Amino acid sequence: MAKDFTILGIESSCDETAAAIVSADKSIHANKIASQIETHAKHGGVVPEVAARAHLDMIDDVIAAALTDADMTFDDIDGIAATAGPGLIGGVIVGTVAAKAIAAARSIPYYAVNHLEGHALSGRLCSDIDFPYLLLLVSGGHTQLLAVTAPGTYHRMGTTMDDAAGEAFDKCAKIMGLGYPGGPAIEAAAASGDAKSIRLPRPLRGADNCHFSFSGLKTALATKLAQLGGVQTAPIHDLAASLQAAIADCLADRTKRAMQIFATQINTETTNTTNTLVIAGGVAANKAIFARLHTEADAAGFQIVVPPAKLCTDNAAMIAWAALERHDRPDQLDFDPRPRWPLDPDASPPPGRGVRQ
Ligand code: KG4
Ligand code: ZN
């Protein structure tokens, strides 16, 4: 592929309308993100129908702004990629229809990208890492450990049995009156709190598998908050710091187990002699979690890669990049959007109820 092969990426699967322009040599010419946070904050979370309408209002302007930022026109674009799932289907439809229309009008290839694959490959957009690598994907809807062997080839080693880590941050922030989105709000409150002051559980610590569980942590936090007199009197900063430390410990413990398995059973007969841990998804923007995982990776002899915050939270540069990774395999224009789209369809479900794929 020519190193200047350039793709316009579109992301609209949750509460961000984003467009980015990326070339095969990893140049990011534009990375525009229009957030709907203010629209949804008053409801305490994303309202799907409101989100879909907001995507529709913003998409044309965001694409135009990306072209302006890059100082490009559609003549400079060689392919169009859009998130085709998983996510809130109304928003996904808005992004994919826009992308398909541009692809048809310009007679250029169209790529239907899995949003999770965008996160999974974002480490390769910002660093020169080889396959295979171990991926901790921590977003608002997913918490998974995956061995990434090639674009499109994933082996899921662990997943959450209930809530995702980002979901735990968001729900606990709501309980503590810290607003939406919860992760950044809890990180800010935790900065002036004592992480050792309130004892919270570490679900599944030491378990032989690589699965996660966060809903018990949420219940434990709600119970502590009530015991301490509720949001008016409880030491919210200490609670936030203690919760953040508990989530960091759980992620570190489960990732430690996955690193053992990856190093001894998966990356054994490959030419890649470096064991790498990539952390991706919105929760990867949390500095305390990064520090905790960094210590664990060092101890296991893994190098650690975390994309910069702008590429960790939802963005369209990762969508364009996921398409560039398989630029010679575009999709047909009749590709249907998918509300659910697991990276490893063959993964067996973890024990327990309320299983997420
Ligand atoms: O990947 P992402 O932007 O969207 C999804 O695909 O879900 O992740 C959003 C999630 C939210 O749950 C948000 O609270 C969390 O990432 N998040 C954080 C931080 N920034 C975003 N969690 C902890 N600390 C942060 N600094
Ligand atoms: Zn995401």
Side-chain angles (χ1 to χ4, degrees), residues 125-143:
L125 173 57
C126 64
S127 315
D128 288 324
I129 48 170
D130 292 327
F131 298 114
Y133 55 85
L134 177 65
L135 171 74
L136 171 63
L137 175 61
V138 267
S139 68
H142 297 86
T143 302

Side-chain angles (χ1 to χ4, degrees), residues 115 119 139-141 166-167 169-170 181-184 187 281-283 285-286 312-314:
H115 176 87
H119 282 302
S139 68
E167 196 175 354
F169 272 113
D170 293 337
E187 182 168 19
V283 180
N286 185 291
C312 275
T313 47
D314 284 350

